[in-house]
């Protein structure tokens, strides 16, 4: 397999790297395979449409253009190398369910198909009870004269589909597009249906998985399909890749980074960002049309092509900002809830530090032209470090710390879909039981055995509140939510509570915090006050407690025998 090919009927009017095969004749490359192509007319592992867009519109010098075309091929190859979006296939039968409430819709569908196109079932919407499964394996329960009947089909055509149908893979509404388009899609699916793995999941840092109370289920809330289902009984999440649209909206709202985007993970975006040093990144989701877009790309503007439009979050965006040393343009006609919050937070931060927005949004050609005129480099904003293996919060914390430095830039608020905060503890009531530390799966809370302290790194805290509901002490632990304090201590471990260790009154071994022993003693001493040995046991370690209790038992027994004599 040759890696790179460029095809255009008119060829190129400037030279490019020898690593790229240039052709204007498709017959020359028949039966050959390639890794990266600029057009879907050539079979390749990945099509990089942004290459022609750049060549057509750039105002870079000839030498810059030559280097940047090579860079765009290398960027696409890097994206391919790091992608984890494994492809799968699903068998689709001809069994189709038609849901239509009026005869006209039914007649139009029948008139548009041939007898052998599909095995057709037909119902009216009023007898539909439920739909489950996924495309290729749909189970539809209908009410047939008072009895539940199950129809097993591969695809559904539903005129004026309700939400249950819209969220279900394999359901198509002709009124959302056209009947001809739906029938074409049905047939294409029967011939060949494939889907990709769009998400990866680390349940160990998920803030919903197996927690006693529901703290977070943002991913399920924003999912436009049935690709993410939460099971409240077990507090677990179920992911259906075949139902996933690949939009990535769940990624941008996941607070801990438990979810990542398989086509372009955090690690992948870090590697891709390395190509954009001293470039102006222009983020373009794959859904945006490029072929007929006529805009002037001023010098040093380089497209940054992505698949889904909703997966970028504050960590990945700040990585691209700092690795480029420039403002970033995001060209998209839709901004997701999580990405929208991230952009607003980053713009607030950059305004405080650099008096410029970090991200320039453009939803149409005119807005894109304005953004391209405005975009500029940001002096002293470049920053690179090895962030491999770091969690989402750790990456953002380290990068934000670089911006803040030794300054006090004030406070920015977070929002509905992205949360930061600071844990506060009433030291008088904290016994250092460390239940809060055990409940924190992003390592914001920690204990230091060298000085017997409970500590917080505010920059890692997701303000999920699980430590708050887990704390056994009343009015002890609270959270100041939805703030980021742009000053140095925000990124350092702050002491929340500390205590001395209590030494066993029998052997002298330190075995618990003084406050915890005092708390237990204050509750139990009145009950044990009539028995000095039991009362003393409250201040003993686990080894000595049974010893003095047993010794007291034998002493009392021997005393009884002596009295009997």
């Amino acid at each position: 397999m040759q890696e790179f090919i460029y095809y255009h009927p008119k060829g190129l009017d400037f030279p490019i790297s020898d690593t790229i095969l240039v052709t204007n004749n498709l017959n020359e490359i028949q039966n050959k395979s390639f890794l990266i192509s600029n057009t879907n007319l050539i079979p390749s592992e990945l099509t990089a449409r942004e290459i022609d867009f750049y060549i057509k519109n750039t105002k870079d010098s000839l030498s810059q253009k030559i280097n940047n075309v090579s860079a765009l091929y290398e960027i696409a190859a890097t994206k391919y190398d790091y992608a984890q979006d494994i492809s799968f296939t699903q068998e689709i039968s001809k069994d189709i369910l038609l849901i239509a409430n009026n005869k006209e819709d039914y007649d139009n569908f029948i008139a548009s198909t041939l007898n052998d196109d599909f095995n057709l079932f037909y119902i009216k919407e009023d007898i539909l009870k439920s739909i489950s499964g996924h495309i290729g394996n749909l189970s539809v329960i209908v009410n047939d004269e008072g009895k539940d009947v199950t129809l097993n089909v591969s695809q559904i055509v539903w005129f004026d589909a309700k939400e249950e149908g819209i969220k279900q893979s394999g359901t198509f509404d002709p009124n959302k597009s056209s009947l001809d388009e739906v029938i074409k899609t049905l047939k294409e699916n029967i011939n060949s249906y494939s889907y990709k793995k769009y998400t990866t999941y680390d349940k160990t840092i998920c803030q919903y998985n197996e927690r006693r109370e529901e703290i977070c289920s943002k991913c399920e809330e924003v999912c436009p399909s049935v690709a993410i289902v939460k099971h409240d009984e077990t507090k677990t999440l179920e992911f259906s890749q075949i139902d996933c649209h690949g939009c990535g909206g769940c990624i941008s709202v996941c607070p801990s980074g438990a979810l990542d985007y398989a086509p372009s993970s955090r690690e992948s975006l870090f590697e891709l960002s390395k190509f954009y040093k001293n470039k102006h990144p222009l983020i373009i989701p794959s859904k945006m049309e490029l072929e007929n877009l006529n805009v002037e790309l001023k010098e040093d503007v380089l497209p940054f092509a992505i698949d889904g439009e909703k997966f970028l979050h504050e960590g990945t965006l700040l990585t691209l900002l700092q690795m480029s040393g420039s403002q970033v343009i995001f060209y998209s006609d839709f901004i997701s809830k999580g990405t929208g919050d991230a952009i607003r937070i980053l713009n607030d931060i950059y305004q405080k530090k650099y008096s410029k927005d970090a991200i320039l949004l453009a939803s149409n050609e005119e807005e894109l032209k304005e953004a391209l005129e405005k975009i500029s480099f940001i002096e002293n904003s470049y920053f690179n470090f090895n962030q491999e293996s770091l969690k989402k919060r750790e990456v953002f914390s380290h990068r934000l710390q670089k911006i803040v430095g030794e300054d006090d830039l004030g406070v920015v608020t977070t929002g509905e879909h992205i949360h930061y905060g600071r844990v506060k503890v009433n030291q008088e009531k904290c016994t250092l039981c460390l239940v809060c530390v055990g409940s924190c799966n992003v390592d914001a809370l920690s204990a230091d055995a060298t000085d017997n302290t409970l500590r917080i790194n505010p920059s890692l805290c997701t303000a999920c509140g699980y430590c708050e509901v887990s704390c056994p002490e009343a009015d002890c632990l609270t959270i100041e939510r939805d703030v980021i304090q742009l000053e140095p201590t925000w990124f350092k471990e702050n002491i929340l509570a500390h205590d001395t260790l209590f030494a066993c009154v029998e052997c002298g071994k330190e075995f618990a915090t003084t406050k915890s022993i005092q708390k237990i003693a204050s509750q139990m001493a009145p009950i044990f006050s009539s028995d000095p040995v039991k009362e003393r046991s409250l201040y003993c370690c686990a080894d000595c407690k049974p010893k003095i209790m047993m010794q007291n038992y034998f002493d009392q027994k021997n005393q009884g025998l002596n009295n009997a004599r």
Side-chain angles (χ1 to χ4, degrees):
M1 177 188 293
Q2 182 161 347
E3 288 200 333
F4 305 147
I5 183 168
Y6 182 85
Y7 165 75
H8 196 281
K10 297 181 180 179
L12 275 174
D13 58 1
F14 64 95
I16 56 176
S17 169
D18 292 340
T19 62
I20 306 167
L21 174 63
V22 178
T23 183
N24 59 3
N25 186 352
L26 292 177
N27 293 325
E28 291 180 352
I29 54 171
Q30 285 185 354
N31 303 319
K32 293 183 179 180
S33 56
F34 299 88
L35 181 65
I36 308 296
S37 169
N38 65 307
T39 173
N40 57 15
L41 295 175
I42 297 175
S44 60
E45 297 296 324
L46 192 151
T47 300
R49 299 180 305 138
E50 63 274 12
I51 293 170
D52 276 335
F53 170 70
Y54 169 78
I55 291 172
K56 172 186 172 184
N57 295 285
T58 187
K59 295 301 176 182
D60 279 333
S61 66
L62 179 59
S63 61
Q64 287 176 310
K65 189 186 298 188
I66 294 170
N67 290 334
N68 284 339
V69 169
S70 295
L72 287 172
Y73 275 97
E74 293 292 344
I75 289 167
T78 301
K79 178 181 175 182
Y80 175 80
D81 288 342
Y82 279 85
Q84 303 172 49
D85 52 342
I86 304 168
S87 294
F88 303 90
T89 59
Q90 171 69 41
E91 184 177 345
I92 308 291
S93 72
K94 290 186 175 183
D95 297 334
I96 304 290
L97 174 64
L98 174 62
I99 305 175
N101 287 330
N102 60 69
K103 191 173 184 301
E104 182 180 356
D105 288 335
Y106 171 83
D107 290 340
N108 287 339
F109 183 85
I110 297 299
S112 301
T113 60
L114 301 175
N115 290 335
D116 61 348
D117 283 342
F118 310 113
N119 301 324
L120 190 65
F121 299 86
Y122 165 66
I123 65 169
K124 289 188 175 181
E125 185 182 297
D126 58 0
I127 69 168
L128 174 66
K129 295 190 69 174
S130 67
I131 303 173
S132 59
H134 55 72
I135 184 170
N137 187 23
L138 292 164
S139 180
V140 182
I141 298 178
V142 299
N143 182 349
D144 184 13
E145 297 181 354
K147 294 182 180 180
D148 285 353
V149 175
T150 300
L151 303 176
N152 295 312
V153 296
S154 277
Q155 300 181 91
I156 298 172
V157 179
W158 187 349
F159 285 87
D160 294 320
K162 300 297 187 291
E163 183 178 2
E164 181 182 8
I166 294 170
K167 297 186 72 171
Q168 183 67 57
S169 67
T171 301
F172 306 95
D173 184 353
N175 292 332
K176 297 291 184 182
S177 54
S178 72
L179 185 56
D180 288 341
E181 284 186 33
V182 167
I183 291 173
K184 179 183 177 183
T185 300
L186 295 174
K187 293 178 179 180
E188 288 175 347
N189 290 342
I190 291 171
N191 290 330
S192 174
Y193 185 82
S194 62
Y195 62 97
K196 287 186 175 183
K197 174 184 177 181
Y198 282 106
T199 58
T200 60
Y201 175 56
D202 180 0
K203 68 179 181 181
T204 64
I205 58 172
C206 174
Q207 303 200 328
Y208 177 83
N209 184 66
E210 295 182 349
R211 287 185 157 182
R212 296 186 309 278
E213 296 190 27
E214 182 172 321
I215 298 299
C216 175
S217 57
K218 282 289 185 183
C219 58
E220 188 265 349
E221 291 174 18
V222 302
C223 182
S225 70
V226 292
I228 305 176
V229 177
K230 62 177 182 175
H231 299 292
D232 290 331
E233 304 80 12
T234 58
K235 292 293 188 296
T236 55
L237 296 173
E238 182 180 348
F239 296 88
S240 172
Q241 299 294 342
I242 194 171
D243 292 307
C244 181
H245 295 174
C247 67
C250 57
I251 313 299
S252 59
V253 298
C254 179
S256 64
L259 284 171
D260 206 353
Y261 196 57
S264 301
S265 65
R266 288 193 302 278
E267 183 180 6
S268 170
L269 288 170
F270 172 57
E271 293 298 324
L272 295 176
S273 296
K274 293 177 180 179
F275 289 93
Y276 288 81
K277 184 177 182 181
N278 298 324
K279 305 293 182 186
H280 300 303
L282 168 56
I283 300 174
I284 307 176
S286 59
K287 69 169 188 171
M288 300 301 288
E289 294 292 334
L290 293 179
E291 287 72 19
N292 298 319
L293 193 59
N294 293 304
V295 294
E296 184 176 296
L297 301 180
K298 69 180 183 181
E299 279 192 276
D300 299 317
V301 172
L302 196 63
F304 190 95
I306 60 174
D307 293 326
E309 68 277 10
K310 302 179 183 180
F311 71 97
L312 295 173
H313 52 74
E314 67 274 22
T316 48
L317 286 169
L318 185 54
T319 296
L320 183 57
L321 283 161
Q322 291 186 323
M323 297 285 279
S324 65
S326 168
Q327 294 174 297
V328 169
I329 298 175
F330 194 165
Y331 176 55
S332 177
D333 58 6
F334 180 84
I335 302 295
S336 71
K337 295 174 179 178
T339 301
D341 271 3
I343 290 171
R344 198 266 304 160
I345 292 167
L346 288 170
N347 281 349
D348 286 350
I349 292 168
Y350 265 56
Q351 281 290 345
K352 287 179 178 292
K353 178 68 176 183
Y354 305 113
S355 300
K356 290 183 178 182
D357 281 342
I359 315 291
L360 306 177
L361 294 175
S363 61
N364 55 50
E365 187 170 324
E366 289 306 311
E367 290 179 358
L368 179 56
K369 289 178 180 178
E370 293 177 11
L372 286 165
E373 290 177 3
K374 187 185 299 184
I375 194 170
S376 65
F377 292 108
I378 299 178
E379 188 176 357
N380 298 322
S381 66
Y382 173 80
F383 177 53
N384 183 21
F385 74 102
N386 185 6
Q387 64 184 52
E388 291 179 16
S389 79
L390 293 184
K391 299 174 185 175
K392 172 182 178 178
R393 289 278 164 150
E394 293 169 335
V395 170
F396 187 67
S397 169
H398 201 68
R399 290 192 170 280
L400 183 57
Q401 185 178 15
K402 177 64 176 178
I403 294 175
V404 173
E406 297 302 317
D407 296 334
D408 185 348
L409 302 175
V411 176
V412 297
T413 58
T414 52
E416 181 183 356
H417 304 286
I418 294 178
H419 299 284
Y420 284 80
R422 175 173 240 156
V423 173
K424 297 182 176 182
V425 167
N426 182 340
Q427 289 201 58
E428 296 301 316
K429 296 191 176 183
C430 178
T431 63
L432 266 75
C433 68
L434 304 185
V435 168
C436 58
V437 175
S439 69
C440 180
N441 62 9
V442 293
D443 298 327
L445 286 164
S446 61
D448 191 332
T450 63
D451 59 0
N452 307 312
T453 55
L454 171 65
R455 296 167 177 259
I456 178 71
N457 182 333
S459 67
L460 301 181
C461 179
T462 65
C464 72
Y466 197 50
C467 59
E468 192 173 19
V469 300
S470 299
C471 179
E473 307 298 334
D475 303 319
C476 176
L477 188 152
T478 56
I479 301 175
E480 181 185 5
R481 286 178 164 83
D482 294 331
V483 295
I484 299 177
Q485 295 175 352
L486 301 176
E487 45 88 16
T489 63
W490 183 257
F491 307 95
K492 299 176 182 178
E493 286 189 346
N494 296 268
I495 295 176
L496 295 173
H498 60 86
D499 199 2
T500 57
L501 292 182
F502 187 86
C504 173
V505 295
E506 284 290 312
C507 69
K509 181 177 71 175
E510 294 176 333
F511 70 97
T513 62
T514 300
K515 286 180 182 177
S516 64
I517 296 300
Q518 290 174 341
K519 177 186 175 183
I520 294 171
S522 67
Q523 295 173 343
M524 301 303 295
I527 301 173
F528 292 168
S529 60
S530 60
D531 189 332
V533 175
K534 284 186 177 180
E535 189 171 8
R536 184 175 177 79
S537 73
L538 296 172
Y539 303 95
C540 292
C541 68
D543 292 330
C544 294
K545 190 186 298 288
K547 290 179 182 178
I548 69 168
M549 295 298 291
M550 290 299 293
Q551 187 62 52
N552 182 51
Y553 169 77
F554 286 120
D555 289 346
Q556 289 180 350
K557 184 176 181 180
N558 290 335
Q559 183 66 41
L561 291 173
N562 291 333
N563 290 339
R565 291 174 185 165

